[in-house]
Amino acid sequence: KQEVTQIPAALSVPEGENLVLNCSFTDSAIYNLQWFRQDPGKGLTSLLLIQSSQREQTSGRLNASLDKSSGRSTLYIAASQPGDSATYLCAYNTNAGKSTFGDGTTLTVKP
Amino acid sequence: KAGVTQTPRYLIKTRGQQVTLSCSPISGHRSVSWYQQTPGQGLQFLFEYFSETQRNKGNFPGRFSGRQFSNSRSEMNVSTLELGDSALYLCASSFGKGLGYTFGSGTRLTVV
Protein backbone atom coordinates (compact mmCIF):
# COMPACT_ATOMS: atom_id res chain seq x y z
CA LYS A 1 0.00 0.00 0.00
CA GLN A 2 1.46 3.29 -1.17
CA GLU A 3 1.10 5.79 1.68
CA VAL A 4 3.01 8.60 0.00
CA THR A 5 2.75 9.26 -3.72
CA GLN A 6 4.98 11.65 -5.59
CA ILE A 7 4.03 12.83 -9.06
CA PRO A 8 5.65 12.98 -11.51
CA ALA A 9 8.28 10.26 -11.03
CA ALA A 10 10.62 12.13 -13.36
CA LEU A 11 10.66 15.62 -14.80
CA SER A 12 12.93 17.33 -17.31
CA VAL A 13 12.76 21.10 -17.79
CA PRO A 14 14.87 23.78 -19.42
CA GLU A 15 16.87 26.10 -17.21
CA GLY A 16 14.95 29.08 -15.89
CA GLU A 17 11.57 27.39 -15.78
CA ASN A 18 9.38 27.42 -12.67
CA LEU A 19 8.13 23.98 -11.63
CA VAL A 20 5.95 22.20 -9.08
CA LEU A 21 6.52 18.80 -7.51
CA ASN A 22 3.60 17.03 -5.90
CA CYS A 23 3.31 14.84 -2.83
CA SER A 24 0.13 13.10 -1.68
CA PHE A 25 -0.28 11.20 1.58
CA THR A 26 -3.09 9.17 3.10
CA ASP A 27 -2.34 9.31 6.83
CA SER A 28 -4.39 11.95 8.64
CA ALA A 29 -2.22 11.75 11.77
CA ILE A 30 0.48 13.84 10.18
CA TYR A 31 2.65 15.79 12.59
CA ASN A 32 4.84 17.48 10.01
CA LEU A 33 6.07 17.06 6.46
CA GLN A 34 9.60 17.43 5.24
CA TRP A 35 11.05 17.86 1.74
CA PHE A 36 14.50 16.49 0.98
CA ARG A 37 16.91 16.54 -1.90
CA GLN A 38 19.13 13.57 -2.74
CA ASP A 39 22.02 13.58 -5.18
CA PRO A 40 23.05 10.24 -6.73
CA GLY A 41 24.68 7.92 -4.21
CA LYS A 42 24.48 10.50 -1.45
CA GLY A 43 22.45 11.07 1.68
CA LEU A 44 19.40 13.30 1.97
CA THR A 45 19.60 17.04 2.44
CA SER A 46 16.69 18.67 4.22
CA LEU A 47 15.09 21.51 2.27
CA LEU A 48 11.97 22.53 4.13
CA LEU A 49 9.97 21.35 7.13
CA ILE A 50 6.30 22.23 7.50
CA GLN A 51 4.44 21.62 10.74
CA SER A 52 0.87 20.34 10.44
CA SER A 53 -0.41 23.69 11.73
CA GLN A 54 1.41 25.62 8.98
CA ARG A 55 0.37 26.24 5.39
CA GLU A 56 3.73 26.92 3.80
CA GLN A 57 7.43 27.44 4.24
CA THR A 58 9.88 29.32 2.04
CA SER A 59 13.62 29.12 1.60
CA GLY A 60 15.21 31.08 -1.22
CA ARG A 61 13.80 29.86 -4.52
CA LEU A 62 11.89 27.06 -2.81
CA ASN A 63 8.36 27.21 -1.46
CA ALA A 64 6.56 24.25 0.08
CA SER A 65 2.88 24.19 0.87
CA LEU A 66 0.82 21.80 2.95
CA ASP A 67 -2.90 21.08 2.77
CA LYS A 68 -3.53 18.60 5.53
CA SER A 69 -7.24 18.24 4.80
CA SER A 70 -6.65 17.09 1.23
CA GLY A 71 -3.45 15.18 2.04
CA ARG A 72 -1.28 17.16 -0.35
CA SER A 73 1.97 19.05 -0.35
CA THR A 74 3.72 20.83 -3.18
CA LEU A 75 7.28 21.98 -3.65
CA TYR A 76 7.62 24.98 -5.92
CA ILE A 77 11.03 25.71 -7.42
CA ALA A 78 11.43 29.10 -9.04
CA ALA A 79 13.86 29.89 -11.84
CA SER A 80 15.31 26.38 -11.97
CA GLN A 81 19.05 25.87 -12.46
CA PRO A 82 21.10 22.86 -13.61
CA GLY A 83 22.37 22.55 -10.02
CA ASP A 84 18.80 21.79 -8.94
CA SER A 85 19.01 18.45 -10.76
CA ALA A 86 18.48 15.76 -8.12
CA THR A 87 15.81 13.50 -6.69
CA TYR A 88 13.33 15.26 -4.42
CA LEU A 89 11.62 13.26 -1.70
CA CYS A 90 8.83 14.16 0.64
CA ALA A 91 8.25 12.47 3.98
CA TYR A 92 5.62 12.88 6.60
CA ASN A 93 6.07 12.21 10.29
CA THR A 94 3.27 11.04 12.54
CA ASN A 95 2.56 11.91 16.13
CA ALA A 96 4.17 8.60 17.08
CA GLY A 97 7.41 9.67 15.45
CA LYS A 98 7.22 7.33 12.45
CA SER A 99 8.45 8.66 9.10
CA THR A 100 7.13 7.56 5.71
CA PHE A 101 8.84 8.55 2.49
CA GLY A 102 7.65 8.81 -1.08
CA ASP A 103 9.66 7.32 -3.94
CA GLY A 104 10.75 10.76 -5.08
CA THR A 105 10.69 12.85 -8.22
CA THR A 106 13.88 12.88 -10.27
CA LEU A 107 14.39 16.34 -11.68
CA THR A 108 16.70 17.19 -14.57
CA VAL A 109 17.26 20.83 -15.43
CA LYS A 110 18.84 21.24 -18.85
CA PRO A 111 21.20 24.15 -19.52
CA LYS B 1 28.93 22.25 13.51
CA ALA B 2 29.51 18.61 12.57
CA GLY B 3 26.73 16.82 10.75
CA VAL B 4 25.57 13.25 11.06
CA THR B 5 28.54 10.92 10.57
CA GLN B 6 28.17 7.40 9.29
CA THR B 7 30.97 4.86 9.15
CA PRO B 8 32.13 3.12 7.14
CA ARG B 9 31.14 4.74 3.84
CA TYR B 10 31.50 1.54 1.85
CA LEU B 11 31.44 -2.10 2.86
CA ILE B 12 31.62 -5.39 0.99
CA LYS B 13 30.54 -8.53 2.82
CA THR B 14 29.90 -12.15 1.94
CA ARG B 15 26.55 -13.88 2.28
CA GLY B 16 26.09 -15.31 5.76
CA GLN B 17 28.38 -12.82 7.45
CA GLN B 18 27.22 -10.13 9.83
CA VAL B 19 27.88 -6.40 9.73
CA THR B 20 27.76 -3.46 12.11
CA LEU B 21 27.21 0.10 10.92
CA SER B 22 27.78 3.17 13.04
CA CYS B 23 26.05 6.54 13.22
CA SER B 24 27.11 9.58 15.23
CA PRO B 25 24.28 12.14 15.41
CA ILE B 26 24.56 15.88 15.54
CA SER B 27 25.56 17.00 19.02
CA GLY B 28 22.47 17.37 21.18
CA HIS B 29 20.25 15.21 19.00
CA ARG B 30 18.75 12.36 20.99
CA SER B 31 16.72 10.68 18.26
CA VAL B 32 18.43 8.46 15.69
CA SER B 33 16.58 6.69 12.88
CA TRP B 34 17.84 4.14 10.37
CA TYR B 35 16.65 3.61 6.80
CA GLN B 36 17.39 1.19 3.99
CA GLN B 37 17.36 2.53 0.45
CA THR B 38 17.28 0.28 -2.62
CA PRO B 39 16.34 1.05 -6.23
CA GLY B 40 13.38 -1.31 -6.08
CA GLN B 41 11.92 -0.50 -2.65
CA GLY B 42 12.89 3.11 -2.18
CA LEU B 43 13.54 4.44 1.30
CA GLN B 44 12.27 2.15 4.02
CA PHE B 45 12.22 2.83 7.74
CA LEU B 46 14.13 0.35 9.89
CA PHE B 47 13.92 1.69 13.44
CA GLU B 48 14.23 4.74 15.63
CA TYR B 49 16.02 5.15 18.94
CA PHE B 50 15.48 7.89 21.47
CA SER B 51 17.47 8.11 24.69
CA GLU B 52 18.78 4.55 24.28
CA THR B 53 15.28 3.06 23.77
CA GLN B 54 13.83 1.75 20.54
CA ARG B 55 10.76 3.89 20.01
CA ASN B 56 9.62 2.75 16.56
CA LYS B 57 10.30 -0.23 14.35
CA GLY B 58 9.68 -0.89 10.68
CA ASN B 59 8.78 -4.14 8.97
CA PHE B 60 12.14 -5.83 8.78
CA PRO B 61 13.15 -9.31 9.94
CA GLY B 62 14.84 -9.88 13.27
CA ARG B 63 18.22 -10.12 11.51
CA PHE B 64 18.18 -6.34 11.59
CA SER B 65 18.83 -4.89 15.02
CA GLY B 66 20.17 -1.74 16.54
CA ARG B 67 21.08 0.01 19.71
CA GLN B 68 21.82 3.47 20.99
CA PHE B 69 24.45 4.42 23.52
CA SER B 70 24.29 7.01 26.28
CA ASN B 71 26.09 9.54 24.06
CA SER B 72 23.33 9.06 21.43
CA ARG B 73 25.63 7.28 19.00
CA SER B 74 23.85 4.39 17.38
CA GLU B 75 24.83 1.12 15.75
CA MET B 76 22.89 -1.07 13.40
CA ASN B 77 23.65 -4.76 13.03
CA VAL B 78 22.61 -7.15 10.29
CA SER B 79 23.24 -10.84 10.86
CA THR B 80 23.30 -13.67 8.33
CA LEU B 81 23.59 -11.31 5.39
CA GLU B 82 21.63 -12.01 2.22
CA LEU B 83 22.22 -10.68 -1.29
CA GLY B 84 19.04 -8.62 -0.96
CA ASP B 85 20.54 -6.69 1.95
CA SER B 86 22.75 -4.81 -0.50
CA ALA B 87 21.62 -1.22 -0.14
CA LEU B 88 22.45 2.28 0.98
CA TYR B 89 21.84 2.48 4.74
CA LEU B 90 21.03 5.96 5.94
CA CYS B 91 20.98 7.32 9.45
CA ALA B 92 19.12 10.47 10.49
CA SER B 93 19.12 12.39 13.74
CA SER B 94 16.80 14.90 15.31
CA PHE B 95 16.27 16.85 18.51
CA GLY B 96 12.75 15.47 18.65
CA LYS B 97 9.83 14.46 16.49
CA GLY B 98 8.64 17.95 15.64
CA LEU B 99 11.96 19.33 14.52
CA GLY B 100 12.79 17.45 11.34
CA TYR B 101 15.62 15.10 10.51
CA THR B 102 19.20 15.56 9.34
CA PHE B 103 20.66 12.70 7.35
CA GLY B 104 24.16 11.33 7.10
CA SER B 105 25.82 10.42 3.80
CA GLY B 106 25.05 6.75 4.28
CA THR B 107 26.89 3.44 4.23
CA ARG B 108 26.85 1.57 0.92
CA LEU B 109 26.70 -2.16 1.75
CA THR B 110 27.32 -4.72 -0.96
CA VAL B 111 26.71 -8.38 -0.20
CA VAL B 112 28.41 -10.85 -2.57
Side-chain angles (χ1 to χ4, degrees):
Chain A
K1 171 182 141 189
Q2 181 69 308
E3 297 178 34
V4 181
T5 303
Q6 291 191 245
I7 295 174
L11 183 62
S12 181
V13 300
E15 181 177 3
E17 194 162 296
N18 301 326
L19 59 102
V20 176
L21 307 181
N22 297 290
C23 172
S24 300
F25 50 92
T26 56
D27 197 329
S28 60
I30 177 175
Y31 193 81
N32 58 42
L33 185 139
Q34 197 166 1
W35 281 93
F36 295 89
R37 165 191 174 131
Q38 185 175 31
D39 293 287
K42 301 291 181 61
L44 277 66
T45 300
S46 178
L47 298 173
L48 289 163
L49 171 70
I50 312 176
Q51 302 297 338
S52 61
S53 59
Q54 297 176 321
R55 297 285 292 182
E56 65 179 294
Q57 284 284 339
T58 298
S59 176
R61 295 182 293 109
L62 305 179
N63 176 279
S65 69
L66 175 63
D67 185 340
K68 187 178 173 182
S69 61
S70 65
R72 293 183 182 178
S73 177
T74 62
L75 179 66
Y76 174 82
I77 302 177
S80 58
Q81 304 170 358
D84 294 332
S85 298
T87 296
Y88 292 81
L89 298 106
C90 70
Y92 74 85
N93 303 302
T94 65
N95 294 332
K98 180 184 172 186
S99 296
T100 304
F101 282 78
D103 288 336
T105 294
T106 299
L107 172 65
T108 303
V109 181
K110 298 173 288 187
Chain B
K1 86 185 174 185
V4 178
T5 304
Q6 291 189 246
T7 56
R9 287 298 313 278
Y10 302 94
L11 205 50
I12 300 176
K13 288 287 188 178
T14 305
R15 257 187 317 178
Q17 288 187 310
Q18 76 165 17
V19 67
T20 299
L21 311 182
S22 178
C23 173
S24 293
I26 289 174
S27 179
H29 284 194
R30 295 165 64 190
S31 169
V32 175
S33 298
W34 288 90
Y35 297 84
Q36 181 196 67
Q37 187 176 37
T38 60
Q41 299 295 319
L43 203 64
Q44 292 189 292
F45 172 75
L46 281 155
F47 28 65
E48 183 216 2
Y49 286 86
F50 185 86
S51 294
E52 302 179 65
T53 300
Q54 188 179 83
R55 191 162 66 173
N56 285 292
K57 189 176 189 302
N59 297 322
F60 278 80
R63 300 186 296 108
F64 292 82
S65 63
R67 59 178 175 169
Q68 187 179 33
F69 301 95
S70 58
N71 62 357
S72 293
R73 189 178 72 84
S74 178
E75 288 182 345
M76 189 192 92
N77 185 76
V78 187
S79 62
T80 320
L81 283 166
E82 301 177 359
L83 296 179
D85 296 333
S86 295
L88 179 67
Y89 289 88
L90 293 163
C91 161
S93 75
S94 173
F95 277 114
K97 66 179 179 180
L99 300 174
Y101 292 92
T102 302
F103 278 78
S105 299
T107 294
R108 172 73 62 183
L109 172 66
T110 303
V111 182
V112 298

